[in-house]
Amino acid sequence: GASDYVLKSKLLNLVPAVLRALREADERAKRRLAEEDLRQNEKRFRALIENSMDAIALLDAKRTILYASPSTARVLGYSAEQLVGCLADELVHPEDLAKTIELLHRWPHQPGADVTVQHRVRHQNGSWVWLETVGTNLLADPSVNAFVANYRDITERKRTEERLKTLVAQHAAIADFGTIALVGSIDLSFLLEEAVRLVTQTLQVEHAAVFELNAEGTALRMSAAMGWEQDLIGRVSLAVAETSQEGHTLLANADVLV
């Protein structure tokens, strides 16, 4: 009868409501999963950034620092808050600034392109640290809208390279000197002058001299020199005594750092 019709109409209205509720519950569950995935990704990303040996900075088109990762403190000694708002150029060594700016000026015109530069940057303690910086232009990416700079400390690597460079130069100088010494027609004075020249060139010093011990073993006479007044060569003598630096050097029978 009429009561049956009313009940059936209520059941017909109930079905869409149940389907809608199930659909909304499914959407809420998917949204919760997506939010949890996002939280986990952010947590992993944060752990990666905070524990990375490299530091990361975001710069705007004028090279003002917008963001600095926590690793900044490990690499440069600054907190992230100290760097944000600073102009990156102000931290670069004056001798490296022109090279760095030249590369960075090409950066804005190459969206997505990477540039790599090695330069000295001022540490928070006032010293200069060698960095290798790899920058990527993501200004055109609306989710980033910045230059991304990944940088690492390569100071020790640069020191090792300089030591190797010096060793190679020293070995080359020794080889050159040996070649000259083997030429029988070269007189001793020229050989000593060449030795002094190679020492100043290889060690990058301004002053060097060769002293000869006299026959009595009591004095050292300057026989060749660079960086000294030329009229002193052959005239300057140093007395040799056991208590003097010269005497100790001659009697030590070992290398002496003077």
Side-chain angles (χ1 to χ4, degrees):
S3 60
D4 290 338
Y5 175 78
V6 171
L7 182 59
K8 287 176 183 177
S9 65
K10 287 182 178 180
L11 286 174
L12 289 174
N13 292 331
L14 184 60
V15 172
V18 170
L19 291 175
R20 185 170 58 254
L22 290 174
R23 197 164 49 245
E24 291 174 352
D26 183 57
E27 289 174 355
R28 286 194 297 272
K30 287 179 179 179
R31 189 162 53 248
R32 282 195 298 270
L33 287 174
E35 290 171 352
E36 181 60 26
D37 285 344
L38 180 61
R39 279 194 294 270
Q40 290 300 322
N41 286 336
E42 289 177 345
K43 187 175 180 180
R44 283 192 290 269
F45 179 74
R46 192 179 303 112
L48 179 65
I49 294 299
E50 291 178 355
N51 295 286
S52 172
M53 294 304 293
D54 292 0
I56 298 173
L58 300 182
L59 289 71
D60 67 13
K62 295 181 179 179
R63 300 187 297 282
T64 300
I65 300 172
L66 305 175
Y67 166 82
S69 69
S71 299
T72 303
R74 180 164 53 247
V75 178
L76 290 174
Y78 301 98
S79 67
E81 292 76 14
Q82 287 176 299
L83 286 188
V84 170
C86 293
L87 185 64
D89 297 0
E90 295 175 351
L91 299 172
V92 179
H93 193 285
E95 294 178 5
D96 300 330
L97 185 57
K99 170 183 66 176
T100 303
I101 290 178
E102 181 186 356
L103 283 171
L104 295 181
H105 276 174
R106 298 204 301 262
W107 216 3
H109 308 294
Q110 300 174 332
D114 292 344
V115 294
T116 301
V117 60
Q118 293 183 358
H119 50 182
R120 285 162 290 182
V121 173
R122 189 174 64 249
H123 192 278
Q124 192 270 343
N125 63 17
S127 66
W128 294 103
V129 178
W130 275 101
L131 298 183
E132 182 175 71
T133 301
V134 179
T136 306
N137 181 354
L138 295 180
L139 277 173
D141 186 336
S143 63
V144 182
N145 192 29
F147 296 121
V148 182
N150 293 268
Y151 56 93
R152 65 179 60 186
D153 185 348
I154 60 166
T155 305
E156 194 54 44
R157 188 212 300 177
K158 296 295 285 188
R159 286 174 181 162
T160 301
E161 289 174 356
E162 285 301 314
R163 286 195 292 267
L164 288 173
K165 188 177 175 181
T166 300
L167 283 174
V168 169
Q170 289 173 348
H171 284 293
I174 292 170
D176 290 345
F177 185 70
T179 302
I180 294 169
L182 288 173
V183 179
S185 60
I186 301 295
D187 64 23
L188 181 60
S189 61
F190 176 82
L191 198 60
L192 294 178
E193 289 171 3
E194 190 63 15
V196 171
R197 185 189 69 78
L198 289 171
V199 167
T200 55
Q201 176 182 303
T202 304
L203 299 182
Q204 298 181 350
V205 294
E206 295 182 0
H207 297 81
V210 174
F211 288 83
E212 289 185 87
L213 184 66
N214 64 9
E216 295 78 19
T218 58
L220 291 165
R221 183 177 64 87
M222 183 187 287
S223 300
M226 286 195 73
W228 300 83
E229 296 288 341
Q230 288 299 302
D231 60 356
L232 296 177
I233 299 172
R235 295 174 51 200
V236 172
S237 293
L238 301 173
V240 175
E242 289 188 15
T243 56
S244 69
Q245 179 66 66
E246 297 77 17
H248 171 69
T249 302
L250 288 170
L251 298 172
N253 195 30
D255 294 337
V256 176
L257 181 62
V258 179

